Amino acid sequence: MAGLKSLAKDTVIYGLSSIVGRFLNYLLVPLYTAKMSAVSGGYGIVTNVYSYTALLLIILVYGMETTLFRYCTKEGEDPKRVYSTILTSVGFTSMLFVVIVLTFLSPISGAMGYAEHPEYIGVMAVVVALDAFQAIPFSYLRQQKRALKFASLKLLFIVINIALNLLYFVVLPSLYTVYPDIVGKVYSPEVGVGYVFYLNLICTSIVMLFLLPELRGFKWIFDWSLYKRMLGYSAPILLLGIAGVLNQNADKIMFPFLYEQADCKAQLGIYGAASKIAMIMAMILQAFRYAYEPFVFDKSRDKDSKETYAVTMKYFVIFTLLAFLVVVAYLDIIKYIIAPDYWEGLKVVPIVMVAEIMMGVYFNLSFWYKLTEQTIWGAVFSGIGCVVLLGVNILFVPQYGYMACAWGGVAGYGTAMLLSYFVGQKKYPIAYPVKVMLGYVVLACVLFVAMEAVKELDMLWQVCVNTVLLVAFAIVVVKVEKISFAKVLSKLKR
């Protein structure tokens, strides 16, 4: 149980930085949707470009985050040598990527649909290269259990980013109307959505300065023999990562090519803005992932590791189902995070959250092939899931628009999740409490239907009824799990 306490502590630290950070970052959603109307398609551009960068980031890191965890804890390996070798490799490939993109900027931006604004692509190429390089020292901080510095730097980026966005989208535009000659030296209304990408570059560069201490204090060595062994481990993880990020972003990348309507960018912006509300689940998953990944590799040496993984899975499912119900229960209040002309997309929120829960379960299941170094299975599962997602999008987006994107995510993650479970039970069996977890899923579905049924009531009545339903879910969990709050409080006091 000591291991679970350590996991809980790290999850709280990562969770606070992730949840508080994402919450602060959410301030940009109402800002962007207020300053970029749905009709203008400005937020659609932001959604589309950032989807490309998410994919590129996975490619440029090529599985070296997980590889670092594995080899730094592997018997007979020198953690400093591992860190130095990975850092050198990712740094070189990131620089090469920037040189290639800037050399062929015009044809690349044209193919992506941004021939009139190649600067968007050039700036984001530099940003994603910096992010890829920074991923390694950030991972090393996690591996060294330096959660506070990790969380502090993540929050620093978000705070600076929000401050600069408020400056360039609220303060300076107002001052420009009064003092155009003075303000015009640092601000131009013609740049518009481009400021989103320029400010990102500034913030990423500032964080890079704070990571400089993590680039010193060891001898820079590139061990080619070690690197070849690590590539063998990371290559399947790269394929797994590409498939995973495509499951999350392929719909937003493909949408402009599949939905050939005049309001394409507007529809993509609506989908992107509404999906942001569902990202509360992504906050939970990210916080859990940051703490759970190094925890699993450390715990793998213990005799009771499988029992711990099973218990963790159960509570993960309970907590994410509760989060799902909370968002659905108070969606008519939460929706004000985006501008009213984006509200038509709110119907995708529950669907996207279900897909996120499936992704989280799949992430929990994924450790059997990481621990047994059979990472090729991860690539297979995610690849099949990705094919399913792409198929749903290609077949149905032209007719059903972004609703097909949302359901495609459920189909893709659901497929990968089921494949990983059934194969994993043969290769690395873990006695997950499946019946109990399915019971909670059924209960959540019943409560969801009840919450949907009271949507016709006034908001006050909706909130009251939905709150009662949430309490009912919590009571069932407490009774089934036999949770004693007195014991929990006594343990916290210790």
Side-chain angles (χ1 to χ4, degrees), residues 241-258:
I242 291 174
V245 80
L246 283 176
N247 279 329
Q248 289 183 297
N249 296 282
D251 52 355
K252 302 175 186 70
I253 293 173
M254 296 169 60
F255 193 85
F257 302 102
L258 296 174

Side-chain angles (χ1 to χ4, degrees), residues 62 64 67-68 70-89 219-235 373:
Y62 45 96
M64 285 299 171
T67 303
L68 185 144
R70 179 59 179 165
Y71 276 78
C72 280
T73 57
K74 197 170 185 179
E75 189 175 348
E77 301 291 357
D78 178 5
K80 293 291 186 182
R81 181 177 289 265
V82 171
Y83 178 50
S84 175
T85 300
I86 292 177
L87 203 58
T88 303
S89 170
K219 187 176 181 180
W220 283 75
I221 298 173
F222 183 80
D223 188 327
W224 179 248
S225 176
L226 170 64
Y227 185 60
K228 286 191 292 184
R229 284 187 283 119
M230 291 193 296
L231 277 181
Y233 181 83
S234 69
E373 299 195 14

Side-chain angles (χ1 to χ4, degrees), residues 413-473:
Y413 283 128
T415 300
M417 176 186 71
L418 291 174
L419 286 173
S420 184
Y421 172 75
F422 287 114
V423 176
Q425 288 303 95
K426 293 182 178 181
K427 300 285 186 179
Y428 191 82
I430 296 175
Y432 292 113
V434 176
K435 291 183 179 179
V436 175
M437 292 189 292
L438 285 178
Y440 287 128
V441 171
V442 171
L443 175 60
C445 290
V446 171
L447 296 178
F448 169 73
V449 172
M451 290 177 182
E452 288 294 299
V454 301
K455 278 189 175 295
E456 301 301 321
L457 301 177
D458 292 337
M459 185 182 293
L460 179 60
W461 279 107
Q462 279 188 53
V463 170
C464 291
V465 173
N466 289 345
T467 300
V468 171
L469 294 175
L470 287 173
V471 172
F473 181 83

Side-chain angles (χ1 to χ4, degrees), residues 70 233 367-375 427-428:
R70 179 59 179 165
Y233 181 83
F367 282 99
W368 72 261
Y369 54 75
K370 292 180 181 178
L371 289 171
T372 58
E373 299 195 14
Q374 300 180 58
T375 48
K427 300 285 186 179
Y428 191 82

